[in-house]
Amino acid sequence: MNKNLLSAAVALALGAVAGAAWAQSAPPLRISLTADIRSTEPGVNRDSNSDAVVLHIVEGLVAYGEDAEVRPLLAKSVDISPDGKTYTFKLREGIKFHNGKPMTSADVLWTWQHYTAANSGWRCASEFDGRGTVKVTGVEAPDAQTVVYHIEKPSSLFLATLARADCGGTGILSKDSVRADGAWDKPIGTGPFELAEWKRGEYIRLTKFAGYSNLDGKRDGYTGSKRPLVDEVRFLIVPDDSTAKAALQRGNIDIIEDVSNSDVPVLQGTPNVKVAHAPVMSMTALLMQTKDPVLANPKMRQALAHAIDYQQLAAAVTEGLAQPNNSIVPLVSPYYDAAQKQGWNYDPAQSQKLLKEAGYKGQELAILTTKRYPQSYNSAVIIQAMLQAVGINAQLSVVEWATQLDRYNAGTYQMMTFPYSARLDAALNYEMVTGDKAKQPRKVWDNPEAQKLIEAAASDTDHAKRQASFDQLHKLFLADVPSIPLYNGLDIGAYRADIRGYQPWAVKKPRAWEVERVAAP
């Protein structure tokens, strides 16, 4: 039997056998994952599934809210000095680790030393030592409830980087998380659930932390209210999508946390199954090589932009779930405002007028794409038809994903549909597309004025100043048309009708807190 299907069969068999034992008590909340986690250490030997599980166990000083804005979590307040180089965190009182020990500033300091030690393996060490966006020059704990970070220069990305999921949220750990010899044992954190068992290839079992110190208010991303409303959570490893869907329909799984767009209509029509979705920070775009002889003319790129019906495109490739977005800033970003809503209107007549002004003579324009990502491929097919409708000789060039990625990095293409992964700050969204093409050929927007605005947004901590930079960047982007953002991705989840409180969100990670089992409707 195929190894992946064997894992799925084992996991589902376990659920079926355990059903009898659970008959007299509430069954666990069962969430399917497509692959096993890599480790339980925050930000070390990790992947997306590892992050998702670990962030039920550990918490950081700050975390991303529902709108991807960074807010306090274990800190009750964050004070930034006037020069932007000193961050003072006041800790919430009464926080306990899963082992019952109180959390103090000494634990924060120990955790930071653990993460940044030589050869720690922490993914984000380079983000804070000067190689990345921030250089931390010192950390101190003047009293039990205060931690002070000093950074080399002002940065609006310091808190955002601390909160990153791939950094394990810089989760604060008890010293008992490591053995006497310093080797990693297991995460002992402050989160709403604690690690009970990891049966590799089958499941990860978490249990409710009865001593969890919850924030008041409503659920808010990785912060806000995070009550553990079930006694046990099981992340079941089910690599095969069809197996997971069948298990959901039978009631052997409660939640599928990552549903493809194409599966939505079927699941919506399935009895006792509900589907929910939310926009995320990823982006699909049509990239254009501005150094190409044909595409170097801004009027040619404007013609392309006006030839696309964005509403129809987004609806067609996402089963009507996503809205179009011509801004580099994602729809759910706190910096997506009225200025970001401005885009290129669909106007075939204007497109044809611009083609004439650009001197277009019917030269072939190749759209590079891959079937590895169906939405990206389908976008290319639809765009080809729309461009041909206004007289542009657009042709598809379908390649393997590895080939497309190589050509993206080398900048050797005319056009391509490309799926960008999520960035959780608008400055990082712009940074991923902007830069000197001579030094970084993968960049699509080589504009010195834009680079200065991005640098300002990356250092300013004032929201209004940052907003002004992003609004100006968007105006420049619409005029230059170095690429055409099409739409943001979706986090789609499917769950049994007796599950209440499950919500997809911008970070595209499952959350088991504030979720409960109720009487079936």
Side-chain angles (χ1 to χ4, degrees):
M1 180 183 288
N2 177 280
K3 183 178 179 181
N4 285 346
L5 293 180
L6 176 61
S7 296
V10 170
L12 295 178
L14 176 67
V17 170
W22 294 331
Q24 302 302 316
S25 61
L29 183 69
R30 297 157 298 177
I31 304 174
S32 71
L33 294 178
T34 55
D36 201 357
I37 63 174
R38 296 174 61 90
S39 81
T40 62
E41 187 170 4
V44 177
N45 187 26
R46 41 71 56 199
D47 60 9
S48 182
N49 286 347
S50 307
D51 300 339
V53 172
V54 165
L55 287 169
H56 285 75
I57 302 168
V58 304
E59 299 177 311
L61 296 173
V62 294
Y64 283 107
E66 206 77 18
D67 58 358
E69 185 86 332
V70 178
R71 299 187 178 94
L73 180 51
L74 293 181
K76 66 180 178 181
S77 66
V78 184
D79 180 70
I80 305 173
S81 64
D83 66 2
K85 296 193 291 185
T86 301
Y87 286 71
T88 301
F89 298 86
K90 290 291 185 180
L91 305 181
R92 290 164 51 207
E93 297 178 353
I95 306 291
K96 292 185 181 297
F97 288 112
H98 298 151
N99 58 9
K101 295 181 179 180
M103 185 204 74
T104 70
S105 61
D107 298 297
V108 179
L109 191 58
W110 178 88
T111 298
W112 182 254
Q113 293 166 345
H114 170 77
Y115 285 141
T116 57
N119 302 318
S120 70
W122 189 44
R123 173 183 177 85
C124 295
S126 63
E127 299 292 344
F128 296 101
D129 65 4
R131 287 177 287 172
T133 57
V134 177
K135 183 175 183 179
V136 174
T137 57
V139 184
E140 56 196 52
D143 62 57
Q145 297 302 121
T146 306
V147 179
V148 180
Y149 277 77
H150 301 279
I151 61 177
E152 186 176 56
K153 59 184 180 181
S155 173
S156 63
L157 301 178
F158 173 57
L159 295 178
T161 307
L162 284 178
R164 275 171 39 181
D166 61 327
C167 302
T170 318
I172 306 306
L173 301 164
S174 164
K175 295 178 183 179
D176 295 333
S177 299
V178 300
R179 303 187 186 101
D181 62 359
W184 179 253
D185 186 19
K186 66 178 182 178
I188 300 176
T190 62
F193 295 96
E194 51 188 303
L195 180 64
E197 181 185 11
W198 176 17
K199 192 163 186 178
R200 293 174 185 267
E202 294 187 24
Y203 62 84
I204 306 98
R205 184 165 66 91
L206 309 183
T207 54
K208 174 180 179 178
F209 176 35
Y212 182 64
S213 182
N214 190 48
L215 279 170
D216 293 331
K218 63 181 181 179
R219 173 171 37 199
D220 186 12
Y222 275 131
T223 183
S225 184
K226 296 169 63 177
R227 296 174 300 164
L229 300 181
V230 295
D231 291 333
E232 182 179 323
V233 177
R234 286 204 182 198
F235 290 95
L236 301 176
I237 313 307
V238 190
D240 182 66
D241 287 345
S242 59
T243 302
K245 284 184 290 184
L248 180 71
Q249 292 166 349
R250 290 195 305 267
N252 289 340
I253 282 177
D254 298 306
I255 297 168
I256 298 178
E257 58 88 21
D258 188 13
V259 173
S260 66
N261 292 327
S262 60
D263 286 333
V264 169
V266 173
L267 290 171
Q268 285 178 327
T270 302
N272 299 315
V273 170
K274 295 184 177 182
V275 177
H277 62 87
V280 299
M281 311 292 259
S282 61
M283 174 183 75
T284 296
L286 176 68
L287 310 188
M288 294 178 284
Q289 179 50 265
T290 57
K291 292 187 178 297
D292 179 81
V294 178
L295 295 171
N297 189 328
K299 287 191 175 182
M300 184 67 198
R301 302 196 300 272
Q302 288 281 357
L304 292 166
H306 287 294
I308 299 171
D309 185 335
Y310 301 101
Q311 194 73 44
Q312 183 184 67
L313 172 66
V317 299
T318 68
E319 301 293 336
L321 299 176
Q323 292 298 314
N325 180 19
N326 286 151
S327 174
I328 291 292
V329 178
L331 291 172
V332 292
S333 168
Y335 294 99
Y336 187 86
D337 64 355
Q340 308 300 321
K341 293 179 182 178
Q342 302 302 310
W344 300 285
N345 60 308
Y346 172 53
D347 189 341
Q350 175 69 3
S351 177
Q352 291 172 331
K353 178 176 179 292
L354 287 164
L355 287 174
K356 290 180 181 179
E357 293 176 4
Y360 178 63
K361 303 298 183 183
Q363 301 96 314
E364 180 177 313
L365 287 175
I367 304 174
L368 199 68
T369 190
T370 179
K371 293 184 178 180
R372 166 77 175 270
Y373 296 101
Q375 286 184 37
S376 183
Y377 172 76
N378 292 338
S379 295
V381 172
I382 294 171
I383 289 170
Q384 178 194 25
M386 290 177 175
L387 296 185
Q388 288 178 344
V390 298
I392 297 171
N393 183 13
Q395 302 298 325
L396 289 189
S397 175
V398 183
V399 298
E400 295 296 322
W401 169 240
T403 301
Q404 181 174 10
L405 193 58
D406 286 345
R407 292 181 62 177
Y408 161 77
N409 285 322
T412 53
Y413 59 88
Q414 286 183 297
M415 298 189 290
M416 71 163 64
T417 51
F418 192 78
Y420 282 102
S421 57
R423 307 292 193 277
L424 297 182
D425 184 88
L428 296 177
N429 287 104
Y430 271 107
E431 187 277 334
M432 74 181 176
V433 301
T434 310
D436 184 345
K437 289 192 175 192
K439 297 178 180 178
Q440 296 177 293
R442 73 178 185 278
K443 301 294 188 177
V444 298
W445 195 19
D446 194 342
N447 184 315
E449 183 180 357
Q451 291 179 53
K452 289 179 181 178
L453 286 167
I454 295 168
E455 289 171 4
S459 60
D460 282 331
T461 55
D462 180 81
H463 184 98
K465 290 181 179 178
R466 301 190 84 213
Q467 186 70 69
S469 293
F470 296 134
D471 289 352
Q472 194 172 347
L473 278 163
H474 184 57
K475 186 177 180 180
L476 281 174
F477 194 89
L478 291 178
D480 280 2
V481 203
S483 73
I484 302 176
L486 301 170
Y487 54 86
N488 299 120
L490 293 166
D491 182 14
I492 307 174
Y495 54 94
R496 298 288 299 175
D498 62 346
I499 299 301
R500 182 169 64 191
Y502 184 75
Q503 291 181 3
W505 68 304
V507 175
K508 202 171 184 177
K509 295 280 193 296
R511 296 171 295 178
W513 53 85
E514 297 294 332
V515 178
E516 59 187 328
R517 191 183 303 278
V518 297

